[in-house]
Amino acid sequence: MTEVWASLIIRNINDMISSSSEVVAPNGNWQSRRLITASDHMGFSLHDTIIKSGTETKLWYKNHLEAVYCISGDGSIEDLATGISHQIEPGVMYALDQNDKHILRGGSKDMRLVCVFYPALRGDEIHDKNGSYPSSNS
Ligand code: 9YT
């Protein structure tokens, strides 16, 4: 008898660019390729995000936790609770473990970030006026 195994998920970013898996901010500040989303039932979503050079985005993920790892480019994050800015460059990770309000700034070059959101995004979300995404229950 042949055993049937459920297949793992494998995706290539090159197939996502300019597809429904790519979301571009209306103000052009960022673009996000959503590699894993809620429909994959993994509990988190995984995004490959480009923050455009010289942009400034105020964010407050009040319904999500987020971890972000920089793999190229540069920028900074300002923690609005303290007013302290932290430089972001390849190898730097930040985690918004307190749903922290922040400002994300693109630096001299476009910044490429690997982002994990918990709970998972559906995949088509853009920020609301507070810089939030809706909760998964809404
Ligand atoms: C790092 C960050 O929050 N960028 C804005 C876009 C967001 N990460 C997303 O939806 O991928």
Side-chain angles (χ1 to χ4, degrees):
M1 193 176 81
T2 311
E3 274 187 85
V4 178
W5 294 83
S7 59
L8 55 74
I9 300 168
I10 183 155
R11 294 176 184 141
N12 189 318
I13 194 80
N14 295 328
D15 300 326
M16 304 193 144
I17 295 167
S18 302
S19 79
S20 61
S21 298
E22 180 178 64
V23 176
V24 179
N27 60 11
N29 283 9
W30 53 265
Q31 57 204 78
S32 176
R33 292 79 179 249
R34 279 129 187 204
L35 290 151
I36 295 172
T37 58
S39 62
D40 294 314
H41 303 291
M42 296 192 72
F44 62 88
S45 54
L46 178 69
H47 315 177
D48 181 320
T49 297
I50 309 278
I51 305 295
K52 301 301 285 182
S53 166
T55 61
E56 181 173 295
T57 307
K58 191 172 178 184
L59 297 166
W60 179 30
Y61 295 129
K62 58 185 173 183
N63 301 309
H64 297 87
L65 303 178
E66 185 193 23
V68 176
Y69 182 63
C70 179
I71 55 172
S72 69
D74 68 295
S76 65
I77 178 169
E78 179 179 342
D79 178 353
L80 289 175
T82 62
I84 296 173
S85 285
H86 306 270
Q87 181 69 20
I88 306 173
E89 59 189 25
V92 172
M93 184 282 304
Y94 66 85
L96 304 169
D97 63 328
Q98 309 287 328
N99 307 97
D100 313 75
K101 291 183 182 180
H102 61 288
I103 296 175
L104 192 57
R105 295 187 172 93
S108 59
K109 290 177 277 198
D110 289 356
M111 181 164 63
R112 189 166 178 194
L113 304 172
V114 178
C115 312
V116 176
F117 276 75
Y118 172 82
L121 296 196
R122 280 192 319 268
D124 58 353
E125 293 93 338
I126 55 170
H127 299 133
D128 67 14
K129 63 179 174 11
N130 298 314
S132 304
Y133 293 131
S135 81
S136 317
N137 303 323
S138 54

